[in-house]
Amino acid sequence: MNCSETRALEPLYDEGAVDAASAADYETHLRDCASCRARHAEALAFGQVLKRDLRRYRAPLELRARIRSRIAPARGAASLRYLARGWNPVALAASLALSVALSSTFTAQYVAAPSDSRVVEDVVSSHVRSLMGNHLIDVASSDRHTVRPWFIGKVDAAPPAVDLASAGFPLIGGRLDYVDRHPCAVLVYRHDKHVINVMVWTNESAEPARTETYARQGYNLVRFAEGDLTFWAVSDLDRGELADFVRRFEDATASPSPS
């Protein structure tokens, strides 16, 4: 086994996806080749860093179902373990290409979902813009009877402007913004010196009511849906405090009071 073959086999070897004969050949080459041995050690160290430091997120049920439906035919056609048996570089390369193609397809489909990176970046950008200039608030009030009616006629749906001052999250007003390619309402809250922006728009894609959390550029975000509305809460509060705010917001809006 030469260095080129070793480099191609390395990901499969590390995942235990090669047969005993190929694994023995790989290990023999590592003992005899200092360069490949050093590269393999670096790869193992990098893998440990990823496992230790990267956050893990459970894939949504819809994504998992799509992955299962896509990989089922591939399993029937050929498996990487089978192709690696006997060391067939051409077949192995074809299998790796198939894996990359399928992975890219799944990634593209997931990134195209409503709660994708583009929307997350939009929400963070809106939050940052609001803190940099004089556009944090268009209507300054803690009274829902003032804030909520102000949005009527300006956006598709007036948001439930509840005041959570008793819980330490006073409403200080609202504003209009443009997020995810459409105008949206933004409710503005404070917690000590921290600003919480809650962006609200109509749930046109019938997003499920599950809660999703994100972290970008030092900010925490929570996406949740309620009825026909989608909400994005964003702040530099730590994850626990923002989750507490969202829970209290959801409790307060579960049985909306008349405006």
Side-chain angles (χ1 to χ4, degrees), residues 92-157:
L92 180 59
S95 298
L96 289 172
L98 174 62
S99 298
V100 171
L102 288 173
S103 176
S104 298
T105 299
F106 303 146
T107 300
Q109 288 182 349
Y110 183 58
V111 168
S115 54
D116 65 2
S117 293
R118 176 181 55 78
V119 182
V120 171
E121 297 301 334
D122 266 10
V123 170
V124 171
S125 294
S126 171
H127 181 70
V128 172
R129 285 196 309 270
S130 75
L131 301 177
M132 293 176 64
N134 297 319
H135 190 213
L136 179 62
I137 298 173
D138 289 330
V139 52
S141 177
S142 61
D143 185 355
R144 67 181 178 84
H145 294 289
T146 298
V147 176
R148 186 173 188 275
W150 183 86
F151 286 106
I152 296 175
K154 297 180 177 70
V155 289
D156 292 340

Side-chain angles (χ1 to χ4, degrees), residues 7-234:
R7 282 194 295 272
L9 188 63
E10 182 177 313
L12 297 176
Y13 175 85
D14 291 342
E15 293 297 325
V18 297
D19 63 1
S22 296
D25 290 343
Y26 181 88
E27 291 163 358
T28 298
H29 181 83
L30 288 188
R31 284 195 298 270
D32 298 336
C33 180
S35 175
C36 288
R37 189 165 60 248
R39 187 187 62 251
H40 184 242
E42 290 176 358
L44 289 178
F46 181 66
Q48 290 301 316
V49 171
L50 292 180
K51 290 178 181 178
R52 184 186 70 236
D53 296 341
L54 286 186
R55 292 177 179 173
R56 295 179 178 270
Y57 297 93
R58 185 171 179 80
L61 292 175
E62 296 87 343
L63 175 61
R64 281 181 275 163
R66 287 202 300 271
I67 292 175
R68 293 192 188 100
S69 68
R70 293 295 184 89
I71 64 176
R75 283 177 174 169
S79 69
L80 290 177
R81 188 183 296 273
Y82 173 78
L83 290 172
R85 186 178 298 128
W87 182 239
N88 184 333
V90 175
L92 180 59
S95 298
L96 289 172
L98 174 62
S99 298
V100 171
L102 288 173
S103 176
S104 298
T105 299
F106 303 146
T107 300
Q109 288 182 349
Y110 183 58
V111 168
S115 54
D116 65 2
S117 293
R118 176 181 55 78
V119 182
V120 171
E121 297 301 334
D122 266 10
V123 170
V124 171
S125 294
S126 171
H127 181 70
V128 172
R129 285 196 309 270
S130 75
L131 301 177
M132 293 176 64
N134 297 319
H135 190 213
L136 179 62
I137 298 173
D138 289 330
V139 52
S141 177
S142 61
D143 185 355
R144 67 181 178 84
H145 294 289
T146 298
V147 176
R148 186 173 188 275
W150 183 86
F151 286 106
I152 296 175
K154 297 180 177 70
V155 289
D156 292 340
V162 293
D163 184 23
L164 302 174
S166 61
F169 302 98
L171 173 69
I172 61 173
R175 73 173 184 278
L176 295 176
D177 212 322
Y178 192 85
V179 179
D180 192 24
R181 301 174 182 172
H182 52 62
C184 72
V186 185
L187 300 173
V188 186
Y189 292 83
R190 282 196 184 278
H191 182 65
D192 295 331
K193 296 181 180 180
H194 303 274
V195 171
I196 307 169
N197 278 306
V198 181
M199 300 167 198
V200 190
W201 58 80
T202 304
N203 185 359
E204 297 174 350
S205 59
E207 294 177 13
R210 64 171 179 265
T211 298
E212 296 175 337
T213 61
Y214 303 84
R216 292 289 191 283
Q217 303 176 36
Y219 299 102
N220 286 306
L221 304 88
V222 180
R223 188 209 70 85
F224 56 103
E226 185 176 298
D228 60 351
L229 297 177
T230 291
F231 299 83
W232 283 83
V234 54

